[in-house]
Amino acid sequence: MSFRADLHVHSYFSDGTMSPIELLNLAKEKNINAISITDHDTIEAYSDAVFQHAHSIGVQLMLGVEISSELFNENVHILGYNFDITNKSFKDFLKKVVEKREQRNRKILEKLKNFNIDISEEELEDFTKKIGASKTTIGRPHISQLMQKKGITETFQEGFDKYFNDKGPCYVPGFKFSPKEVIEEIHKCSGIAVLAHPHFIRNRKIFDYLLENNIDGIEVYYAKLLPNIEARWERFAVKHNLLITGGSDYHGDIKPFNSLGSSWVDLNHFNKLNEQL
Ligand code: AMP
Ligand code: FE
Ligand code: FE
Ligand code: ZN
C-alpha cells in the first residue's frame, strides 16, 4: 500500500471519542502513514507524550487544528497546519474562543428551556470534564451527547436534527470569529490556513472572500465525497493555486459512518504542505 496521510481527525479533546494515542494506534493498525489531529479550536492533543508515541510506532503526526468561524450566517471551518505550537499569541487567541463559546453555550441552554429541556451550565461542564474534552471546544456536539445520555434524545444526531442544526430553533449564531481573523491568527504563527469541507459552503461569495483574505489551501479529498465532486475541487485548487489537503473527519463512535483513513492525501501533497515550513 502506498503512502497515505489522513489530515482531518478529531480526538476526545474536541468532539471525537478516542484519545490521541488511540488514534495513532488505529492509524498504525490501518497502515496509515501520517495523521493530523485537527481538533475544533484546541491544540491540547499535542503533548510531548503523544509526539513520542507517534515516533515510537512510526506514524507521522502533523500539527493541526480546525478553527470555527462564521461568515454570512454560515459556519466556515478553517484548518491550520504546521503552525508554531509555542506561539503565545495563538494560545491567547484560543482563550478568546473559549469565552465566546461559553457565552454561546449559555444561550443554547436557555433556548432549550423553551422545549422543557433543562440542562445547567455546571452539568454541561461536569459532563465534558468526564469525557476529557477541552474547555476550548465545548459546543453543540457535547450538548447533544449529554442529551442522549440523559435520555432526552435517542441518538447523537437527534439533538442536531430537532434543536440546533444551523437552521434549528435552538441555534445561536454570532459568537465566532470571522474567517479573516482566523486566517490571520494561523499566519501569525507561521501556519497554513486551509478551507475544510468546501462542499458544505452554500454562499459562493464565501470563496471569493477567502481567496481575497489569503487562504492557502482547500480540503479537496473528504470522507466519502464522490470522486467527480473531488475532481471539481481539485480543479478549483489548481485554478487558484491553492495547496491540496484531505482527510476523513473521523470523530470515532459519535459519527461511525466516517472511518479513519476513509480519505487521505498521497506523499506528493503531504510533502508540499511540509515544504511551506
Ligand atoms: P459548534 O462548534 O458548537 O458549532 O459545533 C460544530 C460541530 O458540530 C461540527 O464540527 C460537527 O462536528 C457537528 N455538527 C454540526 N452540524 C451538524 C449536524 N447537522 N449534524 C451532526 N453534527 C453536526
Ligand atoms: Fe466535529
Ligand atoms: Fe468541520
Ligand atoms: Zn472536522
Side-chain angles (χ1 to χ4, degrees), residues 8 10 40 66 77-79 196-197 200 219 222 249 251:
H8 191 156
H10 294 276
H40 299 287
E66 182 176 17
H77 287 180
I78 309 285
L79 293 156
H197 35 67
F200 288 173
E219 190 174 45
Y222 180 81
D249 208 357
H251 281 76

Side-chain angles (χ1 to χ4, degrees), residues 157-179:
Q157 194 56 41
E158 195 180 328
F160 280 90
D161 290 350
K162 282 199 181 150
Y163 303 105
F164 38 65
N165 70 69
D166 297 10
K167 302 245 180 294
C170 302
Y171 182 67
V172 174
F175 286 87
K176 285 178 179 166
F177 285 98
S178 69

Side-chain angles (χ1 to χ4, degrees), residues 6 13 17 42 44 49 51 68 70 84 86 96 99 104 116 152 154 168 170 177 181 191 207 220 248 253 271 274:
D6 183 339
F13 283 108
T17 55
T42 181
E44 279 165 67
F51 275 113
S68 323
E70 227 173 58
D84 170 12
T86 62
K96 285 186 222 151
E99 284 159 24
R104 174 178 180 250
N116 291 323
I152 297 164
E154 279 180 22
C170 302
F177 285 98
E181 288 167 302
F207 294 103
V220 166
S248 61
D253 292 342
N271 284 343
N274 289 324

Side-chain angles (χ1 to χ4, degrees), residues 15-143:
D15 55 345
T17 55
M18 288 167 78
S19 72
I21 301 261
E22 285 167 340
L23 289 168
L24 286 164
N25 289 341
L26 183 60
K28 176 79 185 169
E29 208 179 290
K30 293 186 153 214
N31 281 317
I32 297 161
N33 305 73
I35 63 169
S36 181
I37 301 176
T38 51
D39 278 321
H40 299 287
D41 303 327
T42 181
I43 50 176
E44 279 165 67
Y46 292 98
S47 63
D48 290 346
V50 166
F51 275 113
Q52 274 160 22
H53 187 73
H55 186 74
S56 73
I57 64 169
V59 173
Q60 287 191 63
L61 186 59
M62 183 185 264
L63 265 178
V65 65
E66 182 176 17
I67 300 189
S68 323
S69 71
E70 227 173 58
L71 185 70
F72 309 146
N73 287 319
E74 279 196 50
N75 280 287
V76 180
H77 287 180
I78 309 285
L79 293 156
Y81 292 110
N82 282 339
F83 43 83
D84 170 12
I85 197 168
T86 62
N87 186 296
K88 179 154 183 317
S89 90
F90 197 52
K91 289 190 180 149
D92 290 344
F93 172 67
L94 292 177
K95 273 191 206 137
K96 285 186 222 151
V97 174
V98 184
E99 284 159 24
K100 283 183 183 266
R101 277 200 178 270
E102 282 172 352
Q103 291 166 356
R104 174 178 180 250
N105 289 338
R106 203 168 296 147
K107 288 196 182 285
I108 296 175
L109 296 179
E110 269 168 30
K111 285 193 164 189
L112 283 169
K113 288 206 170 68
N114 299 333
F115 292 84
N116 291 323
I117 296 168
D118 199 3
I119 296 172
S120 68
E121 282 173 62
E122 294 71 37
E123 197 178 357
L124 178 63
E125 201 177 302
D126 286 349
F127 172 70
T128 50
K129 255 190 213 145
K130 264 188 215 127
I131 61 173
S134 160
K135 234 172 133 38
T136 322
T137 206
I138 299 166
R140 291 180 286 164
H142 308 90
I143 299 173

